[in-house]
Amino acid sequence: MTGVPASAAGGSSGARKAAAGPAGRSRPGGNPGGEAPLTPVSGGTADSAAGGVPDGIPGSTPHGVSRAVPSDDAGDGDGHPARGKKIAAAAVNQASVWNIANLLTMLRLGLVPAFVALMLADGGHDPAWRSFAWAAFAVAMITDLFDGHLARTYDLVTDFGKIADPIADKAIMGAALICLSVLEDLPWWVTGVILGRELGITLMRFLVIRYGVIPASRGGKLKTLTQGVAVGMYVLALTGWLATLRFWVMAAAVVLTVVTGLDYVKQAIVLRRQGIAERKAALEEMEA
């Protein structure tokens, strides 16, 4: 569109100026006076001086005349996004910490002291209180399955979630294992093996993160599931064949804990060696 609308030229007086000058001529350099780019509302020929839009009458564009309005995605005249959109985007980013994934993580953290209180209530061996403790533990484990999935699927990943999620995972599992060992329902060496592995692998991930990220393996996911089932069965006051079954489930969890831990150590060593070799090759290439 090459015409200059009468309203943009300053009302009726602008229309007379447009009639005096050459029709269809626009200022060099694009938008006049740094104003927002204009977007045609209807098709047709350019708005001339003789057929200008009367001042103060909205929506009075004649048939076949193109009326220009500021575009919604216009910048500030220099090719930069509108300042209002920048402020709105910043507000969204600041509020994103309160997304559903982080709220589930906060819920899991809040369930830790509640679980401990229920687990140790009335001496720690009352079946009713143990059932309530199992319910709290089950809710915490279920939220662990959903918060990470929601964060990745709907782009809700935040720095808070990256830090709080693993802390919540270790906190609920560690609280359950320690309570079971304190109540002499689970040997301390089992608690030591599982917690030692979890803390050790977490520390190792931080040490090698400069070289890359160790992805979660299927064995690691199976280990987490088996640990959750085994600990949940120990939280309940089971007897008979169910008590025997939980022993073997816990044995499988311990085996998977050790095997996957060794596999992560192997991956960390390989990742570190590759990272050092790549850095060395890059330095040699820069010096050459």
Side-chain angles (χ1 to χ4, degrees):
M1 184 178 66
T2 58
V4 179
S7 58
S12 57
S13 61
R16 289 192 297 270
K17 293 180 181 180
R25 179 179 299 174
S26 60
R27 290 181 54 180
N31 306 332
E35 295 177 355
L38 302 179
T39 304
V41 173
S42 60
T45 58
D47 190 10
S48 63
V53 181
D55 292 340
I57 305 178
S60 58
T61 305
H63 178 69
V65 177
S66 175
R67 182 167 57 90
V69 297
S71 175
D72 291 339
D73 57 352
D76 57 4
D78 297 326
H80 300 295
R83 180 175 298 178
K85 293 187 177 182
K86 289 184 178 181
I87 297 175
V92 171
N93 291 334
Q94 291 175 0
S96 63
V97 71
W98 297 104
N99 61 58
I100 183 63
N102 287 345
L103 290 176
L104 290 176
T105 301
M106 296 176 193
L107 173 63
R108 192 158 72 256
L109 284 170
L111 284 173
V112 174
F115 167 80
V116 173
L118 293 170
M119 191 70 180
L120 301 179
D122 198 14
H125 295 286
D126 183 86
W129 288 112
R130 293 285 284 261
S131 298
F132 289 130
W134 176 87
F137 180 80
V139 170
M141 297 305 293
I142 291 173
T143 59
D144 182 31
L145 297 176
F146 284 102
D147 59 355
H149 175 73
L150 290 173
R152 292 186 297 270
T153 303
Y154 297 101
D155 194 20
L156 301 176
V157 179
T158 62
D159 292 337
F160 172 81
K162 293 177 183 178
I163 298 173
D165 183 65
I167 293 176
D169 297 343
K170 304 302 183 291
I172 189 65
M173 184 60 68
L177 291 169
I178 292 174
C179 285
L180 289 172
S181 294
V182 168
L183 296 173
E184 299 182 352
D185 289 339
L186 189 68
W188 275 106
W189 70 265
V190 174
T191 298
V193 168
I194 295 177
L195 292 184
R197 184 267 189 198
E198 298 299 331
L199 296 176
I201 295 301
T202 300
L203 178 61
M204 185 185 65
R205 285 177 181 273
F206 281 110
L207 292 177
V208 300
I209 196 172
R210 69 181 68 179
Y211 306 110
V213 177
I214 303 176
S217 63
R218 292 184 178 180
K221 296 178 181 179
L222 180 60
K223 178 269 306 177
T224 302
L225 176 63
T226 308
Q227 279 184 2
V229 173
V231 172
M233 294 180 72
Y234 268 85
V235 170
L236 289 171
L238 301 178
T239 58
W241 67 272
L242 288 175
T244 303
L245 177 62
R246 72 182 183 182
F247 169 83
W248 292 108
V249 175
M250 181 60 75
V254 172
V255 171
L256 287 172
T257 297
V258 174
V259 172
T260 56
L262 294 175
D263 180 62
Y264 278 124
V265 171
K266 178 183 176 181
Q267 292 186 54
I269 294 174
V270 173
L271 184 63
R272 181 176 180 274
R273 288 177 178 175
Q274 290 177 349
I276 293 176
E278 290 175 358
R279 287 189 177 187
K280 184 177 179 180
L283 291 174
E284 291 177 353
E285 184 177 353
M286 291 177 61
E287 292 176 355

